[in-house]
Amino acid sequence: MKIRDVEVFQVQWAPEDNPAQCSAWVRVQCDDGPCGIGEASPMQGGLASLGIVKHNLAPTLIDKDPLDHAVLLDTLLHTFVKLGPEGALTRALAALDIALWDLKGKLFKQPIYKLLGGAWRKSLPFYASIGGNGERSLDEVLRVVEARLQDKPAAVKIRFDNDRTRPDIDILGDIAKARAVRRLVGDHFPLAFDANNGYSVGGAIRVGRVLEELGYWWFEEPVQHYHVKALGEVAQKLDITVSAGEQTYTLAGLADLIAAGVRMVQPDIVKMGGITGLMRCVALANAHGVELVPHQTQPTIGHMANLHLAASQAHATKPCELNDPSPRMHAVFENPPRPVDGLFPLPQAPGLGVQINEAELAKRRVPIA
Ligand code: CA
C-alpha cells in the first residue's frame, strides 16, 4: 500500500470570503484504498502551512506506506525544522497527521478512538467559547452569552481578544464584564475567562483575584504566551487554575510551560502534531499531574479529530471547546457535527467519521498555487 496523492486546498465557505477566511485542508489518497482528510490551523487561511505541504512535505510522501505515518511525519519535522517549527510547519504536519489517522481508520474499518485504545466516554459535553468581548459593550457581551446558552453548553468561556500591543488596556471594563456574566448565569454555572495574552503580570493577578471571588473555573493566557516564566508566576500566585499552551507548537515547549508552573495546558490538534502530537502531550501532562484541555476552534474536521482524542483521554477534566456554532460549513458534510442536548456523540464510522459531500466541496474548493 502506498500514498498516491496528497491534495492541498483551501475551502471558501462563502463567495465573499477572502483567502484569510478560508479553511486549510489536505487529503491523502492511497493507491488501492480510501483517502483521509485533515485540516491545518487556518491562521491567515492556513496558506503558509498549505504551501509547505504542497512544496516540501507532499513530494516526499508519495509512494510511502501510510501506516508508517508517525515515522514519516517525524522525519519531515526534522528535515524541514528550519522552515519554522513554531507554527507553519507544525500546523502543516498536524493536517497530514489527522488525514493519515483518518486513512488508517478507514483501512482498518474502525473509528479513530478505537485505534487510540477506546473511549472513556461516548458523548462529549462542550463549552461555548465566545470571542471578541474586549470590543463589545457590557450589554452586548451579555446578549451574546445569552444566545450561546441556548445550545446547552456545559460551560461558557468569554475571550477578550484585545490588542496585544496594549496590555492592561481596560482592566476595570474586563472585570465589570466578568461580574455581569457571572450575575447572568448564576453562581453555579461554570465560567472561564480568556485574557488572550492581554495583561502584565500585575494586571493578570489583579483580574485573577476577582475571577477567584466570582468562582470562575479557569483563567486562560493571562500574559504574553512567550513569557513562559511570567505565565508560571501568575499561575503560582493565583488560586484559580491558570491555563496556556494554545500557542505552543512542540512537546518541549509544553514541558517548559509545565516546568514554569502552569497546571492546565491547552495544545491544539490542528497546530501541533495532530492526533499523534496530542497523544504525546496527554502522556506528558499525565506524567506531571497537569490538566490537559485541548484548545480547538475549528468546527468540522478539527472538532471531529479532537472528539476522538478527548474521548480516549482518561483524565478529561473540562468539556471540549466549541468556538463557532454557525452551520455555514455544514453543506460540505453529509453528517456535520451537531450537539444533541448539549452533547456531541462520538463518531462511530471508520476514521474521523466525516462524510464529505463531494459536489458541494467542489464548489468551494480553492487550489493552492
Ligand atoms: Ca484562548
Side-chain angles (χ1 to χ4, degrees):
M1 189 189 339
K2 290 178 179 174
I3 294 171
R4 189 187 71 202
D5 188 27
V6 179
E7 298 171 60
V8 186
F9 53 96
Q10 283 191 314
V11 186
Q12 185 182 32
W13 299 106
E16 64 273 18
D17 285 353
N18 64 47
Q21 294 171 299
C22 295
S23 292
W25 288 12
V26 302
R27 188 147 59 174
V28 180
Q29 179 76 51
C30 268
D31 54 3
D32 57 354
C35 63
I37 196 149
E39 174 173 36
S41 172
M43 183 59 66
Q44 295 304 306
L47 287 169
S49 298
L50 293 182
I52 290 174
V53 175
K54 177 163 181 163
H55 300 294
N56 305 108
L57 310 184
T60 74
L61 293 174
I62 304 303
D63 290 336
K64 300 292 195 318
D65 183 340
L67 296 182
D68 289 337
H69 89 262
V71 171
L72 294 171
L73 297 186
D74 276 342
T75 301
L76 291 172
L77 171 67
H78 290 86
T79 303
F80 295 103
V81 70
K82 290 181 183 176
L83 285 178
E86 302 289 321
L89 175 59
T90 58
R91 294 195 293 257
L93 291 165
L96 288 168
D97 182 84
I98 293 168
L100 287 163
W101 271 103
D102 187 32
L103 181 57
K104 192 188 320 199
K106 289 172 182 168
L107 289 170
F108 289 106
K109 299 184 169 52
Q110 294 291 331
I112 289 171
Y113 78 84
K114 285 284 186 188
L115 303 182
L116 295 177
W120 292 88
R121 54 203 76 80
K122 297 281 179 66
S123 291
L124 292 100
F126 69 94
Y127 73 83
S129 180
I130 305 173
N133 294 303
E135 293 176 356
R136 291 191 181 108
S137 71
L138 193 147
D139 276 345
E140 287 169 340
V141 171
L142 295 179
R143 299 295 83 79
V144 175
V145 172
E146 267 178 342
R148 289 292 298 275
L149 288 172
Q150 290 170 9
D151 299 333
K152 299 186 181 174
V156 164
K157 179 171 88 182
I158 49 173
R159 313 195 319 254
F160 282 79
D161 310 308
N162 287 325
D163 180 349
R164 289 188 187 200
T165 66
R166 302 173 71 195
D168 298 345
I169 186 171
D170 189 16
I171 286 180
L172 290 177
D174 297 349
I175 288 173
K177 290 170 186 171
R179 285 192 194 283
V181 172
R182 171 50 80 204
R183 273 197 301 274
L184 174 75
V185 301
D187 287 344
H188 299 292
F189 190 84
L191 287 173
F193 185 105
D194 187 348
N196 292 104
N197 319 96
Y199 302 126
S200 65
V201 168
I205 289 170
R206 184 174 168 198
V207 173
R209 295 276 183 240
V210 177
L211 298 177
E212 287 169 356
E213 169 206 323
L214 295 172
Y216 273 61
W217 209 2
W218 77 87
F219 183 19
E220 187 165 319
E221 287 199 313
V223 302
Q224 296 288 354
H225 78 282
Y226 47 77
H227 284 150
V228 172
K229 282 187 183 172
L231 278 167
E233 181 184 351
V234 174
Q236 295 297 296
K237 283 190 171 155
L238 291 173
D239 293 327
I240 188 173
T241 298
V242 169
S243 67
E246 71 177 76
Q247 298 176 85
T248 301
Y249 298 92
T250 63
L251 200 59
L254 211 63
D256 288 343
L257 270 181
I258 293 170
V262 173
R263 291 294 171 258
M264 175 171 149
V265 292
Q266 300 168 293
D268 187 319
I269 204 160
V270 300
K271 290 182 178 176
M272 65 164 291
I275 291 165
T276 307
L278 265 284
M279 290 296 282
R280 293 169 182 170
C281 294
V282 168
L284 179 69
N286 282 350
H288 289 85
V290 165
E291 291 180 72
L292 185 141
V293 182
H295 178 264
Q296 213 303 115
T297 60
Q298 297 313 300
T300 61
I301 294 174
H303 180 65
M304 297 286 257
N306 196 52
L307 290 183
H308 287 280
L309 181 282
S312 74
Q313 191 185 345
H315 300 139
T317 54
K318 306 281 192 300
C320 294
E321 181 164 16
L322 184 66
N323 179 32
D324 177 11
S326 153
R328 78 187 197 116
M329 298 182 180
H330 286 182
V332 163
F333 297 90
E334 304 288 358
N335 59 342
R338 288 193 181 93
V340 179
D341 272 340
L343 297 169
F344 279 96
L346 189 59
Q348 298 300 315
L352 288 170
V354 298
Q355 291 164 346
I356 303 291
N357 181 323
E358 294 294 342
E360 292 296 329
L361 177 59
K363 292 181 202 168
R364 295 164 177 83
R365 187 182 155 120
V366 182
I368 300 301

